[in-house]
Amino acid sequence: MFQPDGTAQARMTELSLIRNFAIIAHIDHGKSTLADRLIERCGALPEREMRAQVLDSMELERERGITIKAQTVRLSYTARDGRTYQLNLMDTPGHVDFAYEVNRSLAACEGSLLVVDATQGVEAQTLANAYQAIDNDHEIVPVINKIDLPAAEPDKVKAQIEEVIGLDASYAVPISAKTGAGIDEVLEALVARLPPPRGDGAAPLKALLVDSWYDAYLGVIILLRVRDGAIRKGMRVRMMATGAVHQVDQVGIFTPRTEPVAELGPGEIGFITASIKSVADCQVGDTLTEDRRPAERPLPGFKPSVPVVFCGLFPVDPNDFEHLRDSLAKLRLNDASFYHEPENSAALGFGFRCGFLGLLHMEIVRERLEREFNLDLITTAPSVLYRVHLTNGQVSELHNPADMPDPVRVQRIEEPWIKATIFVPDAYLGAVLQLCTERRGEQADLTYAGSRAMVVYRLPLNEVVIDFYDRLKSVSRGYASFDYHLDGYRESDLEKVSILVNGEPVDALAFIAHRGQAEARGRQICEKLKDLIPRQLFKVAIQAAIGGRVIARETVSALRKDVTAKCYGGDVTRKRKLLEKQKAGKKRMRQFGNVEIPKSAFIEALKLGEG
């Protein structure tokens, strides 16, 4: 993985010649392509090794055409003033579900390149990312991409940036990341307009743990941003949050290949390995300091991410439970924005209740577990975190519908609401407003930026996690963009719907829904299960119930064994006697018989919950 130590860089770069910046934008506005052109222009990779989206190293990223993990690369650029600058670039994801990756990247930088598509203009995530950069006190350089397209309107987009975001767009750099036009101007704007980092090389070491991931040969690899002091090979470092002490084995940078360096000084971004075997020792946002000469106080770190969507992950093979536990611990090292705790289901056995930042995040984590750790998983229906106020005054948090207390003990239930920002062309505004109203939404604001409307709605999160994003794209022909943040809790008329098979509740299929939609969703799942559960020798009742009240029922008809096959003619009473005997036997079976639901039926029924 590493080149020999002979290639180590000599001394730290002077602070005034360092620029740390993140590339932020809405999905598909050209962040990764711009990163490709900057790497190409600075000669970081030979031409034969260049490929499209070179920083999207994960197979899943290349398949889906999206950035999932923020990536770092160090570039060397000789500016027009003759000085050579060290540029530390961080390419970030654009989707709202990976906002925590963006937040961590911004905390490690002093400036941002805000990329806006010249044909689409300011979108919902452009706005969200710009505000995140402003919260981190970033200097922002607007970049207007795709000016080579016939539909490009750079002047109109400049006006939008000023009107919607409130940034001065008079110095916005027009570029085409695809053709390479304007890349030199971007580099000059970076060195001229972004501030250099601040730090004291003589002070005790203080470095921010930005990211980490597990390597089977090297243990935990840590990506860090040095604030003060320097970190070098052989130094004993302490994690200030956990107190763990390790000796540094390797210090290096990404160019984007891994390259060892002698040391990392103030303002620099790089990685270290220290033969760390325990995943628990590394916490994203922790501060690393020298064990012999520690810093007085740690860096502020990051605000912890708040999971908004919950589901159960269960191995198809129960023997894989320990493997799933280890895999989740290793994956959480690389993605600190999801949470997990063990849970037990009567139907699915031992598994984990996991929390995610959104449905796409849930899907990506599940796929990464299946691909990177070779697991075969069942995912239960997604739900959100409810607050249940009991009659005895206690308040409990509920993210598994199966744990819902007895309705007699419940005083009220509160559900999370979000504040959603939707950008949509005027032609599709009516359909979008109708969709939001159907989902119990409340309109907060409606303004126009040119021919596009910016709608702000308050919506229950439970209505958004199922299929809202897909429906929004459908009713707007793909032109709407959507971003949201949590907006507190509100009391709501919610009910737990239990699914019973042959009179036994199936906890994995239970869900919480608003009273007005509970019956329709219960009936939908019963109809689906009727086709999925194999027929038995007795009738199987599939019911949806709220408390003791059944709201929907389907019946799987019994298989009939031909007990009269041995009767060749003769008196009809003999046949009748055999049929009556069969009927009595089936009644007894229905009374004592257990119905085993195949795992494939669970998977199909839970897919219904997703859509």
Side-chain angles (χ1 to χ4, degrees), residues 36 44 47 106 109 204 218 235 257 308 314 429 442 512 541 562:
D36 287 354
E47 199 174 321
L106 294 176
C109 302
L218 300 166
M235 181 185 277
R257 290 178 303 213
V308 294
F314 294 87
L429 179 61
E442 298 172 357
I512 292 172
D562 191 0

Side-chain angles (χ1 to χ4, degrees), residues 247-549:
Q247 184 166 324
V248 178
D249 295 333
Q250 285 278 6
V251 179
I253 57 168
F254 294 102
T255 66
R257 290 178 303 213
T258 52
E259 185 179 308
V261 294
E263 62 183 3
L264 291 171
E268 294 190 305
I269 298 173
F271 69 89
I272 63 163
T273 65
S275 302
I276 302 169
K277 301 290 185 290
S278 171
V279 168
D281 285 355
C282 298
Q283 294 180 5
V284 168
D286 197 356
T287 302
L288 272 76
T289 189
E290 190 176 359
D291 186 42
R292 190 170 52 85
R293 192 170 66 121
E296 285 183 19
R297 58 178 68 86
L299 294 162
F302 312 119
K303 281 190 287 187
S305 64
V306 181
V308 294
V309 177
F310 294 83
C311 79
L313 288 179
F314 294 87
V316 169
D317 180 356
N319 297 325
D320 282 342
F321 175 72
E322 286 302 324
H323 180 34
L324 176 60
R325 186 200 296 276
D326 294 342
S327 304
L328 281 167
K330 286 174 183 173
L331 189 61
R332 196 177 187 286
L333 188 71
N334 188 227
D335 181 357
S337 56
F338 84 92
Y339 123 107
H340 64 281
E341 65 177 21
E343 76 165 349
N344 185 16
S345 159
L348 298 172
F350 290 99
F352 288 87
R353 170 70 32 179
C354 301
F356 308 93
L357 299 183
L359 275 187
L360 178 64
H361 187 213
M362 180 181 102
E363 204 179 312
I364 293 297
V365 168
R366 189 188 67 202
E367 278 204 43
R368 286 187 70 184
L369 285 167
E370 289 179 348
R371 288 181 187 212
E372 295 173 26
F373 301 97
N374 200 23
L375 283 159
D376 199 3
L377 299 171
I378 295 172
T379 314
T380 64
S383 67
V384 299
L385 188 70
Y386 299 97
R387 282 186 190 154
V388 182
H389 294 257
L390 303 175
T391 48
N392 63 3
Q394 286 185 333
V395 180
S396 62
E397 292 191 332
L398 176 76
H399 48 64
N400 187 353
D403 299 335
M404 179 84 149
D406 190 324
V408 179
R409 295 172 51 217
V410 176
Q411 185 183 13
R412 68 180 193 275
I413 305 176
E414 294 178 343
E415 65 176 334
W417 280 60
I418 60 165
K419 193 173 186 180
T421 306
I422 302 168
F423 279 84
V424 61
D426 198 28
Y428 306 108
L429 179 61
V432 169
L433 295 179
Q434 186 181 342
L435 173 65
C436 293
T437 307
E438 281 171 13
R439 298 302 173 96
R440 300 190 281 134
E442 298 172 357
Q443 189 175 315
D445 195 14
L446 174 58
T447 54
Y448 276 87
S451 62
R452 291 176 0 155
M454 184 174 88
V455 192
V456 179
Y457 253 89
R458 287 187 175 85
L459 290 153
L461 183 59
N462 189 27
E463 300 286 348
V464 173
V465 299
I466 302 297
D467 63 345
F468 180 83
Y469 192 67
D470 292 339
R471 286 286 311 281
L472 178 68
K473 287 292 180 188
S474 177
V475 300
S476 67
R477 304 291 187 274
Y479 285 105
S481 66
F482 171 69
D483 175 65
Y484 67 86
H485 61 264
L486 286 174
D487 193 41
Y489 278 73
R490 292 196 206 176
E491 185 180 345
S492 192
D493 191 4
L494 300 167
E495 294 175 316
K496 175 193 168 185
V497 180
S498 303
I499 303 295
L500 298 94
V501 176
N502 208 28
E504 292 291 321
V506 183
D507 56 355
L509 294 174
F511 62 91
I512 292 172
H514 190 263
R515 189 186 293 272
Q517 296 161 344
E519 191 174 326
R521 280 192 64 194
R523 181 167 285 111
Q524 210 178 2
I525 286 189
C526 288
E527 286 171 0
K528 188 89 170 178
L529 280 174
K530 182 188 174 185
D531 299 329
L532 295 170
I533 293 177
R535 290 167 71 191
Q536 313 290 319
L537 289 170
F538 52 90
K539 286 182 182 176
V540 178
I542 303 166
Q543 298 165 308
I546 297 172
R549 180 168 62 91

Side-chain angles (χ1 to χ4, degrees), residues 44-88:
L45 279 177
E47 199 174 321
R48 68 177 183 278
E49 290 182 31
M50 276 303 297
R51 58 177 183 171
Q53 281 79 47
V54 72
L55 294 182
D56 288 349
S57 52
M58 210 187 297
E59 185 186 341
L60 210 51
E61 293 178 313
R62 304 194 72 80
E63 268 181 31
R64 289 175 174 254
I66 58 171
T67 302
I68 295 167
K69 285 292 299 174
Q71 298 290 345
T72 310
V73 62
R74 180 186 287 193
L75 305 172
S76 182
Y77 171 64
T78 304
R80 288 169 188 163
D81 60 9
R83 302 205 297 171
T84 300
Y85 290 84
Q86 179 197 116
L87 307 179
N88 291 305

Side-chain angles (χ1 to χ4, degrees), residues 18-22 70-72 86-92 100-112 132-133 136-138 195-198 207-211 223-227 265-270 284-285 299-302:
I18 298 175
R19 298 290 183 272
N20 298 321
F21 66 97
Q71 298 290 345
T72 310
Q86 179 197 116
L87 307 179
N88 291 305
L89 175 159
M90 298 194 88
D91 181 27
T92 65
Y100 194 58
E101 288 284 326
V102 181
N103 192 31
R104 295 210 314 252
S105 303
L106 294 176
C109 302
E110 287 77 36
S112 294
Q132 264 193 300
N136 281 277
D137 297 324
H138 274 210
R198 289 197 295 266
L208 179 69
L209 198 162
V210 180
D211 200 0
L223 179 71
L224 46 82
R225 154 71 198 268
V226 181
R227 297 282 180 187
E268 294 190 305
I269 298 173
V284 168
L299 294 162
F302 312 119

